[in-house]
Amino acid sequence: MVEEGIINKEEAILRVEPNQLNQLLHRRIDPQAKVEVIAKGLPASPGAAYGKVVFTADEAEELGKKGESVILVRTETTPDDIHGMVEAQGVLTSRGGMTSHAAVVARGMGKACVAGCSVLNINIKKENISVNDLVIKKDEFITIDGGTGEVFLGKVPTIEPKMSKEFETLLSWANEIKRLGVYANADTPEDAKKARELGAEGIGLTRTEHMFMEQDRLPIVQKMIMADNKESRDEALEKLLPVQKGDFLGILEAMEGLPVIIRLLDPPLHEFLPNLEDTLIEVNTLKLKNADPDELAKKEKLLEIIQSLHEMNPMLGLRGCRLGLLYPEIYEMQIEAIIEAAIELTKKGIKVKPEIMIPLVSHVNEFKPICKKARKIANEKIKSAGVKLEYKVGTMIELPRAALTADKIAEDAEFFSFGTNDLTQTTFGISRDDAEGKFLLKYVDDKILEENPFEVLDREGVGKLVKLGTELGRETNPNLEVGICGEHGGEPQSVEFCHSVGLNYVSCSPFRVPIARLAAAQAVLKEKK
Ligand code: PEP
Ligand code: MG
């Protein structure tokens, strides 16, 4: 219609609902298909997928590699499941919310995911799922629609996505109009490349812990955690440094010329170790079997460490910058790896823009020493390499106290990135892991809350902190760059809000980049109106 002069570009932009782009980016259920919904969970990552039910990541990997379609069904996923998620067509969990591991990782991969489907009774031992009277066994086919949260029995016909020339045209108009930058959350060079193809103008969040979880690194990471003295910790870190450097080389190169924000380690260390209950059972079994004393002693040592790291509220515990302050050598290794990678690429003539991000800061005194150290390490390395390399150091704002004292933090920080997943969790005082499965969705049904705040940014509360934090930050540092990297960064209403409070960019999973671009352009047009 624009080409025929019936409407103008602005009208065209406003006529497309951003989430409709999902239909061009992901497979969807054929609207002609006769379907019977057997369960409904959270629409955690759009797209339709069918496959055989499997219950472990190893099975998903094995069958997936043979070319079979599988749906990985888990109570919830953990970083240990990544290899299975990669090979599965889709992921279905009975627990966890819109910011759960399954949801975030599947969205990053552009893979269908229904999360927190609490009506499902998953029995891993019996290898079946029961929903009311229905029992679905391993290897039976199910279909999931990650855009609606629906689960169907059997193979439901789907329609393949098709990108068109018009898609590109519309999005190029969006770029002409939008003011907000649109970055992507990406942890691998492949994701970064995909994000760039879909129009990302930078990486707003690289979660370095995902790199720690890969199967070849996990043993070194575990060695580092279990080290009982600084020397053995340093030894493990020395092995990790070149591996991390390799990761950063890949991402920085893929994003040549664009900013790449790399977050230092965030999750509590116990996440890298085996589960407490499983290890306890293993120790007891070894005892009952009168197993080899050495083997038992090793397991007991592991158990002791897991127990010592155990916390009642790990989300509010020893994680983020608190880890960096307690175990400074971990962050030092990561900072060295980032800067060494950047120097190596700069020497090859590749322009890189690394930005180091410190997570979970609540008090300026947590930020200052880490920031100072990052600059010291970076400046020394850059000086001795004799290259010209610009880098930035900034922080996530994901705790209310950080937003409320943003003026102090901004004195040293060059950028802020609002982590709206944790900020939502801590502003409401609701768990991002459990609330949706327990009461939050009922709140939405009963209209206590208008929307799920883990999905659509709560303007009145969390949004107020984002606005205040931005204003305070810019009072002491007018050049402060501000964005968000929580899951809200790809949700149209939240993108509109970010525009309205003057953020510089939003960052979201690669497949949501086109949606955010369109939403950002619409925000400009709606504001004009
Ligand atoms: C956040 O808290 O919004 C965030 C982006 O970090 P993570 O989800 O990794 O905690
Ligand atoms: Mg966070």
Side-chain angles (χ1 to χ4, degrees):
M1 282 195 275
V2 174
E3 278 163 12
E4 289 175 16
I6 302 166
I7 59 172
N8 62 23
K9 288 178 187 179
E10 279 84 4
E11 275 175 70
I13 290 279
L14 283 169
R15 283 190 189 190
V16 181
E17 160 61 39
N19 277 325
Q20 282 178 335
L21 296 182
N22 275 325
Q23 296 181 14
L24 301 173
L25 291 161
H26 304 279
R27 255 171 155 200
R28 63 196 162 107
I29 301 281
D30 182 348
Q32 310 295 330
K34 280 215 167 69
V35 293
E36 193 193 332
V37 180
I38 54 166
K40 196 156 187 253
L42 293 166
S45 176
Y50 55 72
K52 286 180 177 174
V53 168
V54 295
F55 294 102
T56 67
D58 289 346
E59 284 171 308
E61 184 182 39
E62 195 189 321
L63 292 180
K65 283 210 161 122
K66 283 186 195 154
E68 294 206 40
S69 298
V70 294
I71 302 290
L72 177 61
V73 181
R74 307 280 292 157
T75 311
E76 54 192 338
T77 62
T78 67
D80 275 353
D81 294 315
I82 300 270
H83 60 293
M85 294 175 78
V86 168
E87 297 298 333
Q89 299 295 310
V91 182
L92 171 62
T93 66
S94 59
R95 260 180 59 187
M98 294 295 284
T99 66
S100 63
H101 178 266
V104 172
V105 173
R107 233 173 276 147
M109 293 176 178
K111 196 158 280 202
C113 173
V114 172
C117 191
S118 51
V119 291
L120 298 182
N121 205 336
I122 301 171
N123 193 326
I124 306 261
K125 266 202 183 138
K126 288 194 183 155
E127 299 195 315
N128 69 29
I129 313 169
S130 51
V131 196
N132 304 320
D133 292 337
L134 182 73
V135 177
I136 305 159
K137 292 199 217 83
K138 189 180 136 185
D139 289 340
E140 279 187 50
F141 273 89
I142 58 167
T143 303
I144 60 171
D145 184 343
T148 61
E150 290 166 323
V151 182
F152 315 93
L153 199 60
K155 268 190 206 178
V156 176
T158 56
I159 297 176
E160 289 299 319
K162 208 169 110 210
M163 294 271 225
S164 58
K165 191 169 86 12
E166 290 79 8
F167 176 89
E168 297 294 341
T169 307
L170 190 79
L171 286 169
S172 71
W173 294 341
N175 273 24
E176 289 167 17
I177 295 167
K178 75 180 179 60
R179 181 191 56 75
L180 272 177
V182 177
Y183 291 9
N185 297 352
D187 306 330
T188 62
E190 296 72 44
D191 288 355
K193 275 180 210 143
K194 184 84 219 165
R196 203 170 181 159
E197 265 168 48
L198 292 169
E201 297 154 300
I203 298 295
L205 173 64
T206 293
R207 291 177 164 100
T208 50
E209 59 268 21
H210 292 173
M211 301 163 172
F212 274 32
M213 294 290 181
E214 280 180 31
Q215 280 169 330
D216 54 332
R217 291 119 191 245
L218 199 57
I220 319 175
V221 176
Q222 291 178 340
K223 245 192 205 144
M224 170 194 75
I225 297 170
M226 291 169 62
D228 37 25
N229 56 54
K230 190 171 176 311
E231 271 122 61
S232 38
R233 174 166 292 123
D234 284 349
E235 207 177 289
L237 284 166
E238 239 167 68
K239 285 197 188 132
L240 274 176
L241 189 131
V243 186
Q244 280 259 277
K245 189 175 153 188
D247 296 326
F248 301 143
L249 279 171
I251 295 192
L252 287 166
E253 188 168 6
M255 297 307 286
E256 181 175 2
L258 299 176
V260 176
I261 301 180
I262 300 171
R263 179 176 76 184
L264 303 180
L265 196 67
D266 182 42
L269 293 182
H270 75 83
E271 285 196 13
F272 301 97
L273 297 177
N275 172 284
L276 174 65
E277 283 84 11
D278 292 349
T279 316
L280 199 60
I281 294 171
E282 278 170 11
V283 166
N284 285 332
T285 316
L286 288 176
K287 278 185 185 162
L288 287 172
K289 281 201 307 200
N290 284 327
D292 169 36
D294 278 354
E295 196 188 344
L296 178 63
K298 254 195 196 159
K299 264 287 175 261
E300 281 180 327
K301 164 106 200 293
L302 175 65
L303 179 64
E304 201 184 300
I305 290 169
I306 298 174
Q307 279 170 329
S308 74
L309 291 172
H310 179 75
E311 293 175 293
M312 296 304 278
N313 284 313
M315 273 301 205
L316 301 177
L318 181 52
R319 54 172 287 222
C321 63
R322 301 162 192 173
L323 271 178
L325 291 167
L326 236 72
Y327 305 105
E329 52 281 9
I330 303 180
Y331 276 15
E332 282 163 19
M333 178 278 287
Q334 292 196 298
I335 297 162
E336 282 176 24
I338 295 168
I339 298 298
E340 282 181 19
I343 289 175
E344 197 172 312
L345 292 168
T346 307
K347 280 186 177 164
K348 284 190 195 162
I350 298 170
K351 177 135 184 66
V352 292
K353 297 183 169 179
E355 303 194 9
I356 299 167
M357 179 152 75
I358 300 163
L360 215 79
V361 164
S362 62
H363 195 290
V364 65
N365 290 349
E366 293 176 304
F367 177 70
K368 270 194 173 162
I370 303 175
C371 174
K372 198 168 157 199
K373 184 177 301 163
R375 292 210 173 105
K376 184 167 180 286
I377 294 174
N379 293 344
E380 280 173 10
K381 284 200 177 284
I382 294 169
K383 194 168 168 217
S384 76
V387 292
K388 197 175 166 302
L389 167 67
E390 278 168 26
Y391 70 93
K392 285 186 181 163
V393 185
T395 180
M396 291 196 70
I397 302 285
E398 48 186 345
L399 294 172
R401 198 187 185 287
L404 295 168
T405 58
D407 46 345
K408 291 207 168 131
I409 300 171
E411 282 173 8
D412 281 306
E414 286 164 283
F415 66 89
F416 280 176
S417 179
F418 284 93
T420 46
N421 303 333
D422 275 311
L423 194 58
T424 300
Q425 165 167 263
T426 48
T427 301
F428 275 89
I430 53 180
S431 160
R432 58 191 272 194
D433 300 308
D434 298 313
E436 286 146 297
K438 298 281 188 222
F439 61 88
L440 199 58
L441 298 187
K442 181 158 167 42
Y443 269 28
V444 177
D445 284 344
D446 294 350
K447 305 255 177 301
I448 295 172
L449 292 179
E450 228 169 274
E451 310 269 6
N452 174 354
F454 287 113
E455 198 177 342
V456 180
L457 189 90
D458 158 52
R459 295 185 182 205
E460 205 177 47
V462 179
K464 197 183 248 180
L465 285 171
V466 171
K467 185 167 182 284
L468 180 71
T470 306
E471 287 166 358
L472 286 175
R474 288 190 179 143
E475 264 174 31
T476 48
N477 180 357
N479 296 324
L480 187 77
E481 227 171 80
V482 187
I484 77 162
C485 63
E487 292 307 302
H488 305 90
E491 191 283 319
Q493 293 178 54
S494 315
V495 172
E496 186 184 338
F497 174 78
C498 293
H499 170 86
S500 74
V501 294
L503 299 199
N504 299 94
Y505 68 88
V506 293
S507 187
C508 56
S509 60
F511 284 89
R512 289 173 99 188
V513 165
I515 296 168
R517 287 165 66 191
L518 186 55
Q522 289 187 347
V524 173
L525 299 175
K526 285 182 193 166
E527 194 177 55
K528 259 202 215 163
K529 276 193 170 177

